[in-house]
Amino acid sequence: MVKIKDLGGLGEERHVLSLEEIRAQTEQCRKCPLCDGRTKIVFGSGNPDAKVFIIGEAPGKNEDQQGMPFVGAAGKYLSELLGYAGLTRDEVYIANVLKCRPPSNRDPKADEILACADYLRAQVRAVNPNIIVTLGNFATKFILKTDEGITSLRGTVQFAGRFMVFPVFHPAAAIYDRSKREVLAQDFALLGEMLKQRSDADA
Ligand code: URA
């Protein structure tokens, strides 16, 4: 069996596992202490052939209980934002940097991100999207391997290997800071325009 850790980085084309194979390995994961506190693994959800792959940070309480990403208040708002891009949740694929909930929703730690990294990279390769949308600092820094913050990167087109990357603020940040709402709405509208241009060019 091909183990996820044998798969290499995002830019490399090696054996691509199916989402179900990756899920099966994720379900068994005991690579970091977060496994002890989890109710359910939050693997990812959505269209396995999505053109748009959305990456969040980590499961919260509701996600941990239901085993699905973005089911709480931030999830409701994310669905609204996808609407600005002309997208529904069924059209995109959504996964987090961490598959298990950090206690009290604290920030992910570097060693937890490292332990979980191969699962997300394998998911991205399995879905093979046209564009990756990173929500907030943790997803953006992970995918772009950068220390640059989300405030300067948001709304810009970046690349990770052969994947186009579009960083935006995390929706949860706009729940507490309403001034970010306008910026998020604009960035998702721009995402919609980029997708339309690409599908016109492919037609
Ligand atoms: N829910 C998730 O699944 N991920 C986040 O980053 C926030 C809420």
Side-chain angles (χ1 to χ4, degrees):
M1 180 175 66
V2 177
K3 281 291 188 82
I4 284 170
K5 66 179 167 48
D6 299 331
L7 288 173
L10 251 194
E12 296 167 49
E13 288 292 353
R14 284 155 76 177
H15 185 86
V16 177
L17 294 177
S18 72
L19 285 173
E20 284 322 304
E21 287 172 310
I22 305 160
R23 183 193 286 274
Q25 292 187 37
T26 311
E27 297 280 351
Q28 306 298 321
C29 185
R30 301 202 59 80
K31 288 204 271 182
C32 88
L34 294 183
C35 66
D36 294 324
R38 73 180 173 228
T39 311
K40 289 188 177 166
I41 290 263
V42 179
F43 178 69
S45 71
N47 182 347
D49 299 314
K51 291 186 167 50
V52 181
F53 194 122
I54 312 265
I55 303 181
E57 183 176 310
K61 189 168 181 230
N62 295 309
E63 288 82 9
D64 171 71
Q65 279 166 2
Q66 296 183 41
M68 298 286 285
F70 283 96
V71 290
K76 191 159 172 269
Y77 181 40
L78 176 60
S79 302
E80 189 184 318
L81 288 168
L82 287 172
Y84 289 111
L87 294 166
T88 64
R89 294 231 354 189
D90 295 341
E91 288 174 298
V92 302
Y93 192 84
I94 306 178
N96 288 309
V97 173
L98 294 189
K99 307 296 186 240
C100 297
R101 181 190 181 207
S104 314
N105 299 341
R106 65 153 168 73
D107 283 350
K109 293 182 179 170
D111 55 345
E112 295 161 354
I113 294 174
L114 194 64
C116 228
D118 289 327
Y119 301 126
L120 181 58
R121 278 199 283 263
Q123 285 175 293
V124 170
R125 250 176 284 128
V127 174
N128 195 26
N130 289 342
I131 186 159
I132 298 171
V133 178
T134 52
L135 307 178
N137 264 319
F138 283 94
T140 302
K141 289 180 177 182
F142 173 80
I143 288 292
L144 296 180
K145 298 189 189 344
T146 179
D147 286 330
E148 208 175 326
I150 189 65
T151 304
S152 60
L153 286 172
R154 59 133 284 274
T156 65
V157 173
Q158 305 288 329
F159 286 88
R162 65 196 159 84
F163 295 101
M164 188 187 270
V165 181
F166 189 63
V168 299
F169 284 134
H170 194 291
I175 291 176
Y176 302 106
D177 175 0
R178 294 187 73 85
S179 68
K180 293 198 165 72
R181 287 189 162 233
E182 182 65 20
V183 179
L184 265 165
Q186 281 168 12
D187 287 350
F188 273 84
L190 181 56
L191 171 67
E193 281 170 34
M194 289 191 295
L195 292 170
K196 186 170 179 317
Q197 275 172 18
R198 169 127 194 186
S199 80
D200 288 350
D202 288 347

